[in-house]
Amino acid sequence: MRIFVTGAGGQIGSDLIMALRERGHDVHGSDLAPRPSRLPEDVPWHRLDVTDAVAVAGLLEQLRPQRVYHLAAILSARGEQIPQTTYAVNQTGTYNVLEACRLHGIPQLIFTSTIAVFGPGLPESVPDDVPLRPTTMYGVTKVAGELLGEYYQRRFGLDFRGVRFPGLISASLPGGGTSDYALFMYTDGVRVGAYEAFCRADTRIPLMYMPDGIRALMDLADAPKADLRRCIYNIAAFSPTASEIAASVATAIPGVRITFASDPARQAILDSWPRALDDRNAQQDWGWKPTFDLAAMTADLVPRVRELLARTPDALSGH
Ligand code: VAH
């Protein structure tokens, strides 16, 4: 089928596009940024600003995909530096994509939500339905995106589905997330042999290795609608402390030096997020199950980061 991806130049886009193409789909990427060099040149690429309603509707009218993955967003840490722009991209951008789907009869929209929809005062393991009290603009706009999408499903019959992602880890730079300390332990660990994390060593949030996240995005989209009792699902993989991640990294990068210097603003965001997620609804409704735990991710990821840096030494620098 034809699939359209917004924000495809970000942390998730390249891996998602490659996986969808392997499943035989005709995938079109879009972003403000040019096509990432990791993607083959025959991936159709469109320059798109999701805050431009006319441009979003025009492109979807022209392409008429059967499915849209809406990934475009400014993440939590960057979002606190530029909350007004974050509102425009995340909130208005999501509204523009929903409206374009309605106007042009696009049947299915897949939304990437996040653990950042949650806020302080959570139980130890957080189920899907608790009061959503985010403290960041990113979290506020993701809650609104969940609710708007559900409204479009109820009111206009859009097939709206999404996952709440934990912090995602892969050999690609995210750009402005608060969960990035986990990823940087791997990338800077290989690149320079050291990393000073911006959180306390006892910080614990849910994390996931990217291949599991990509599979979730494809499996949820393909699940029979009749099996889904809700639109948005928590999905979980593992929840290590920052020091447990550091210890795991050290098993694959002997001698790596990982230290901790907590940054108050980002620490406050991390402390407001779940320590662990309850994802039983996703397990029951569409068979969600992660394949990578922390040790398996470390064993798979470190050689990939090494290979990438051998080919492109600058690929993971500059955060
Ligand atoms: C962020 N990675 O840090 C994102 C995320 C886990 C939260 O959605 O902002």
Side-chain angles (χ1 to χ4, degrees), residues 11 75-77 114-116 138 165-168 176-180 205 273:
Q11 187 191 7
L75 299 183
S76 57
T114 163
I115 56 168
Y138 172 69
F165 271 134
L168 288 170
T178 313
S179 60
D180 300 356
I205 62 165
W273 286 350

Side-chain angles (χ1 to χ4, degrees), residues 28-301:
H28 288 243
S30 70
D31 205 293
L32 274 178
R35 181 194 297 106
S37 53
R38 295 168 62 203
L39 286 177
E41 282 179 15
D42 66 343
V43 173
W45 195 263
H46 309 267
R47 189 183 182 284
L48 181 67
D49 176 356
V50 292
T51 68
D52 181 341
V54 174
V56 174
L59 191 54
L60 286 184
E61 182 180 18
Q62 180 200 325
L63 296 175
R64 296 201 175 271
Q66 277 96 48
R67 177 187 298 168
V68 173
Y69 282 96
H70 178 41
L71 309 182
I74 293 175
L75 299 183
S76 57
R78 178 87 184 114
E80 291 313 287
Q81 293 162 352
I82 47 169
Q84 294 78 11
T85 310
T86 302
Y87 183 90
V89 172
N90 297 10
Q91 180 78 73
T92 308
T94 297
Y95 175 72
N96 289 343
V97 172
L98 284 162
E99 266 295 274
C101 289
R102 179 185 71 81
L103 283 167
H104 301 299
I106 312 297
Q108 190 186 52
L109 178 63
I110 308 299
F111 185 60
T112 43
S113 193
T114 163
I115 56 168
V117 297
F118 298 108
L122 297 163
E124 184 60 25
S125 174
V126 179
D128 287 301
D129 292 314
V130 296
L132 301 177
R133 296 254 162 230
T135 57
T136 62
M137 180 58 93
Y138 172 69
V140 168
T141 58
K142 288 291 185 179
V143 172
E146 292 186 0
L147 295 173
L148 269 175
E150 288 173 11
Y151 175 84
Y152 271 69
Q153 174 160 299
R154 210 165 39 242
R155 179 73 202 270
F156 302 117
L158 176 68
D159 177 358
F160 177 77
R161 312 174 180 199
V163 290
R164 291 190 184 132
F165 271 134
L168 288 170
I169 301 178
S170 67
S172 84
L173 284 184
T178 313
S179 60
D180 300 356
Y181 64 90
L183 187 152
F184 295 153
M185 287 187 195
Y186 291 89
T187 55
D188 281 13
V190 173
R191 209 166 53 85
V192 292
Y195 174 63
E196 183 172 87
F198 52 76
C199 62
R200 289 189 317 270
D202 67 352
T203 304
R204 184 194 293 280
I205 62 165
L207 297 172
M208 182 177 289
Y209 191 33
M210 187 66 82
D212 276 334
I214 299 297
R215 195 168 42 78
L217 285 175
M218 297 193 294
D219 288 354
L220 174 61
D222 287 339
K225 188 67 175 166
D227 293 349
L228 303 181
R229 290 169 298 156
R230 49 191 305 120
C231 290
I232 300 288
Y233 289 88
N234 285 355
I235 53 170
F238 44 91
S239 276
T241 62
S243 61
E244 287 166 348
I245 307 166
S248 182
V249 172
T251 63
I253 313 173
V256 70
R257 277 173 297 112
I258 294 175
T259 50
F260 298 90
S262 174
D263 164 65
R266 283 180 287 185
Q267 187 69 57
I269 294 174
L270 291 165
D271 290 344
S272 78
W273 286 350
R275 290 162 62 83
L277 287 181
D278 174 344
D279 62 0
R280 274 175 292 185
N281 286 323
Q283 294 174 30
Q284 282 164 18
D285 287 7
W286 48 280
W288 160 249
K289 197 172 181 306
T291 55
F292 287 89
D293 61 12
L294 177 61
M297 176 178 78
T298 298
D300 191 78
L301 177 57

